[in-house]
């Protein structure tokens, strides 16, 4: 599948970075199939990130992702999730390659402005967490 999920996290929404981040990603050749703003409950945040349950940052992460509205996007690209991870950069902004989204805007390993599905962690599950098929469009 060449679909993947992008989340613009609460830190980036609060800092008014939605436009900058989307421009950078769309300019890299992604097509927007679906997009919405949502504010997760703590329980929903914990469910989305359940793969991290038991890790030392899990409680912090579930609080963070539910601390304000987020923008979720289903994106399509011939190289799908792998390509989005490249554009987004490494988890810790300190390690993110020059010019990547996290390099430009991330402020810490936690507050790293975006989520991008990992190719080996079921991007389709993450897309379906937020979107019904009828909320996404091929055009
Ligand atoms: N995270 C954190 N501390 C860490 C590792 C991760 O706060 O030591 C947060 C960070 O927001 C990250 C998210 O947890 O984006 C999910 O972690 P993962 O290792 O899956 O990184 P990602 O896939 O987002 O690059
Ligand atoms: Mg991950």
């Amino acid at each position: 599948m060449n679909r993947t999920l992008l989340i613009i996290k609460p830190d980036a929404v609060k800092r008014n970075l939605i436009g900058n981040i989307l421009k950078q990603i769309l300019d890299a050749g992604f097509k927007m199939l679906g997009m919405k703003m949502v504010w997760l409950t703590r329980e929903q945040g914990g469910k989305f990130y359940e793969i991290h349950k038991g890790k030392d940052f899990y409680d912090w992460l579930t609080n963070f992702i539910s601390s304000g509205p987020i923008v979720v996007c289903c994106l399509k690209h011939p190289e799908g999730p792998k390509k989005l991870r490249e554009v987004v950069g490494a988890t810790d902004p300190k390690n993110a390659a020059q010019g990547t989204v996290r390099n430009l805007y991330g402020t810490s390993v936690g507050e790293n402005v975006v989520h991008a599905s990992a190719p080996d962690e079921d991007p389709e599950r993450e897309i379906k967490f937020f979107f019904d098929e009828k909320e996404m469009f091929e055009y």
Side-chain angles (χ1 to χ4, degrees):
M1 263 300 198
N2 51 16
R3 301 197 306 192
T4 189
L5 184 79
L6 170 76
I7 303 178
I8 303 179
K9 291 177 173 179
D11 55 334
V13 173
K14 285 176 184 161
R15 291 166 58 209
N16 244 356
L17 293 171
I18 296 170
N20 297 42
I21 291 170
L22 282 182
K23 172 156 176 52
Q24 187 171 350
I25 289 168
L26 295 177
D27 284 351
F30 286 86
K31 190 167 191 179
M32 183 81 74
L33 304 188
M35 175 166 73
K36 60 175 86 166
M37 182 178 262
V38 295
W39 190 330
L40 298 179
T41 64
R42 202 169 180 285
E43 189 182 10
Q44 290 169 326
K47 183 124 188 66
F48 178 75
Y49 275 125
E50 66 186 1
I51 191 170
H52 296 299
K53 218 170 197 162
K55 295 184 185 166
D56 59 356
F57 60 84
Y58 178 72
D59 284 346
W60 182 89
L61 181 58
T62 58
N63 271 323
F64 170 55
I65 202 64
S66 59
S67 66
I70 58 177
V71 174
V72 291
C73 305
C74 178
L75 299 172
K76 185 175 169 177
H77 185 281
E79 294 170 70
K82 177 176 154 285
K83 176 70 177 176
L84 187 61
R85 297 281 287 194
E86 283 170 22
V87 175
V88 157
T91 306
D92 188 340
K94 286 202 299 286
N95 304 324
Q98 201 70 28
T100 58
V101 173
R102 284 166 168 171
N103 165 255
L104 290 172
Y105 303 115
T107 54
S108 69
V109 65
E111 300 202 352
N112 57 4
V113 294
V114 287
H115 168 86
S117 300
D120 59 343
E121 286 170 10
D122 202 353
E124 284 293 315
R125 175 230 166 226
E126 296 192 350
I127 292 165
K128 290 176 176 75
F129 187 92
F130 289 103
F131 294 98
D132 289 333
E133 287 302 325
K134 63 178 187 304
E135 295 175 314
M136 296 181 284
F137 307 98
E138 288 287 348
Y139 57 95

